[in-house]
Amino acid sequence: MNKYPLLKIKINKRRYIQDISDSIKKNKMTMGPKCFDLEKKIANFLKVKNVILTTSGTNALMMATILSNLKPFDKVIISNLAWVAATNPVLIMGGNINVVDTMPGSEIIDYNKLNEAIIKIRPKLVILVHLNGQAKYNKKFDQLKKKYKFFVIEDAAQALLTKSDFKKKSCGTFYDVGCYSLSITKPIHMVYGGFCATNNDKYAKYLKAVRSNGVPNNKKLKKKLSTSKGLNLKPSDIHAAIGLFSLRNAQNFSKTLSENYKEYEKSITNKKIKMIKLQGRMPIPNYATAIVQDIKRFFLFCQRNLIEVSHGVTTITETKTIRNPKNNLNNSIFISNNLVRLPFGTGYKKSEIRKICKILNKF
Ligand SMILES: Cc1ncc(COP(=O)(O)O)c(C=O)c1O
């Protein structure tokens, strides 16, 4: 048993049981009042017009990809450093994936290379991935979107708590659809869950139909006929009850995560472990991430000291789902090979982080 698990979350078991039993007593365990309440509260939190709750961040990405109307062989651009949850929907729909490198020492896409690729490839869809609460936006990218009219999905699964102040918008709400995870590995969670966020009412209506096997919620229609592709991706009130409780703690959780990350930055003095300097506007991290020298030996060292660590997000090229990428991808490959996630989460106290650092400094 690890003394310091990779993820320690703050949970209130008594409140969970109380809130779940409330949902059961209301006789509406499927998509009912708690789901709608959670959608409304997340929309207020993000200052976005529509939130469409679903069963995972992966399914939110599937719904958004269906909305993008991607056809077989349509071109899609994404960062090479991304979780496969964003690329699998594209593969399922038959799209062609093109990857772009990140900036040196960073998990953020290189916008110079991205903009170049957009001009060259003319994609139908671009997926921006905001890893570990870090989001950057780019004026030239915005101009290209206007010019070429490609669809943009923001994978903000790891960035719900990042409140970008740029144009007073939240991270993940800048373009067509933002997709977020509310799974238990995320600071705000409903055990399993996720959602799409959009300011476009037409898109929201479409996404609601996609969530319901493609059948729009039109009470005037006598027959339940599907009008688009879709799946049963409706969440339950039992999960939403937990989501509502979790969201109420958003501010506290943001503070704890920021402070714990700073504690790592302050207390790690070992030159072989270099914390990633978080980038973007007001990033709130989900993970404590460091670049480590001699990673194999580091994993063994941590194992011996009962500290659980893991790799971070790996590159899409390593998944072998795309053929012969010709571009230079050295930066993202470097991060994939050398980035380590250290024990983290809303349940960790600063004193525990200090103890972990004391051990890691001996590596
Ligand atoms: C960047 C990214 N995208 C998508 C997902 C998928 O979210 P979920 O686990 O809720 O399906 C994750 C989950 O960790 C993620 O980190």
Side-chain angles (χ1 to χ4, degrees):
M1 238 317 245
N2 283 308
K3 188 168 177 198
Y4 300 106
L6 190 60
L7 176 72
K8 208 176 188 186
I9 54 168
K10 204 170 183 174
I11 56 170
N12 184 332
K13 283 187 186 159
R14 217 182 309 148
R15 268 307 294 268
Y16 279 10
I17 292 165
Q18 193 186 316
D19 289 354
I20 290 169
S21 68
D22 258 13
S23 297
I24 295 168
K25 277 183 211 147
K26 284 207 172 93
N27 275 341
K28 187 72 190 167
M29 284 185 270
T30 54
M31 232 192 107
K34 297 237 182 212
C35 285
F36 295 119
D37 195 19
L38 182 57
E39 285 185 335
K40 216 155 71 192
K41 292 211 160 89
I42 295 171
N44 284 341
F45 179 74
L46 289 177
K47 297 188 188 69
V48 68
K49 270 173 92 182
N50 307 282
V51 164
I52 302 94
L53 197 66
T54 182
T55 48
S56 66
T58 303
N59 283 336
L61 284 156
M62 187 71 233
M63 286 161 58
T65 309
I66 292 173
L67 169 70
S68 77
N69 197 23
L70 199 71
K71 299 272 186 326
F73 310 110
D74 276 347
K75 289 168 185 152
V76 178
I77 302 182
I78 186 168
S79 167
N80 192 29
L81 207 59
W83 181 227
V84 287
T87 49
N88 280 335
V90 173
L91 296 173
I92 291 167
M93 307 271 295
N96 274 346
I97 295 171
N98 297 267
V99 290
V100 168
D101 205 11
T102 50
M103 296 184 292
S106 166
E107 293 170 280
I108 300 177
I109 198 160
D110 183 328
Y111 271 103
N112 288 334
K113 290 182 183 169
L114 173 61
N115 292 338
E116 250 174 53
I118 289 168
I119 293 166
K120 198 165 140 207
I121 294 170
R122 303 281 176 89
K124 170 95 177 261
L125 166 67
V126 175
I127 306 175
L128 295 174
V129 189
H130 306 308
L131 291 178
N132 208 19
Q134 305 167 94
K136 274 204 173 168
Y137 294 96
N138 177 278
K139 261 192 195 155
K140 175 89 191 281
F141 176 83
D142 292 351
Q143 288 162 0
L144 291 176
K145 172 158 170 56
K146 264 196 195 133
K147 187 168 173 188
Y148 297 123
K149 301 192 172 22
F150 49 84
F151 198 85
V152 178
I153 295 173
E154 289 179 74
D155 177 350
Q158 299 182 9
L160 171 57
L161 292 176
T162 293
K163 304 285 280 180
S164 171
D165 64 351
F166 183 59
K167 290 194 217 155
K168 298 252 179 314
K169 284 184 184 177
S170 298
C171 172
T173 65
F174 278 66
Y175 303 108
D176 298 297
V177 195
C179 299
Y180 302 74
S181 168
L182 294 171
S183 297
I184 200 153
T185 55
K186 304 294 175 290
I188 307 298
H189 78 97
M190 50 190 273
V191 186
Y192 276 116
F195 63 92
C196 293
T198 179
N199 282 308
N200 184 315
D201 294 341
K202 243 166 80 181
Y203 290 171
K205 218 168 145 188
Y206 192 91
L207 287 166
K208 282 177 191 167
V210 171
R211 172 174 69 179
S212 191
N213 286 306
V215 179
N217 184 13
N218 186 344
K219 293 202 171 90
K220 282 184 214 146
L221 293 177
K222 289 206 178 78
K223 282 185 178 169
K224 284 191 166 187
L225 296 175
S226 70
T227 52
S228 67
K229 293 189 184 86
L231 295 159
N232 179 1
L233 302 172
K234 295 188 288 297
S236 83
D237 262 32
I238 295 173
H239 290 93
I242 291 177
L244 281 165
F245 177 70
S246 190
L247 188 66
R248 253 176 262 143
N249 292 295
Q251 240 175 348
N252 280 343
F253 287 172
S254 296
K255 193 164 168 256
T256 306
L257 295 173
S258 288
E259 286 180 359
N260 281 351
Y261 202 93
K262 279 189 193 125
E263 195 57 54
Y264 267 117
E265 289 181 313
K266 201 171 83 187
S267 303
I268 292 217
T269 50
N270 188 334
K271 295 261 178 342
K272 288 185 221 128
I273 307 164
K274 207 169 160 232
M275 291 299 290
I276 293 254
K277 193 170 164 22
L278 295 173
Q279 293 174 302
R281 283 166 188 263
M282 294 191 272
I284 304 289
N286 281 205
Y287 311 103
T289 46
I291 298 291
V292 172
Q293 278 176 29
D294 201 351
I295 195 163
K296 264 194 194 156
R297 209 165 59 78
F298 182 75
F299 276 120
L300 287 173
F301 172 86
C302 290
Q303 203 178 12
R304 271 202 307 277
N305 287 285
L306 306 179
I307 298 174
E308 192 183 5
V309 292
S310 81
H311 280 284
V313 160
T314 48
T315 56
I316 296 301
T317 34
E318 282 170 276
T319 67
K320 312 270 185 268
T321 49
I322 48 174
R323 265 176 256 142
N324 301 325
K326 291 180 197 76
N327 18 358
N328 177 345
L329 301 165
N330 287 346
N331 296 334
S332 46
I333 291 167
F334 177 81
I335 294 281
S336 175
N337 288 339
N338 298 288
L339 185 139
V340 169
R341 284 182 187 163
L342 306 170
F344 203 59
T346 49
Y348 269 110
K349 293 194 183 88
K350 270 198 253 179
S351 55
E352 289 175 290
I353 304 283
R354 275 196 291 275
K355 279 183 194 158
I356 295 167
C357 293
K358 214 167 152 190
I359 301 170
L360 293 181
N361 285 339
K362 290 186 188 139
F363 169 65

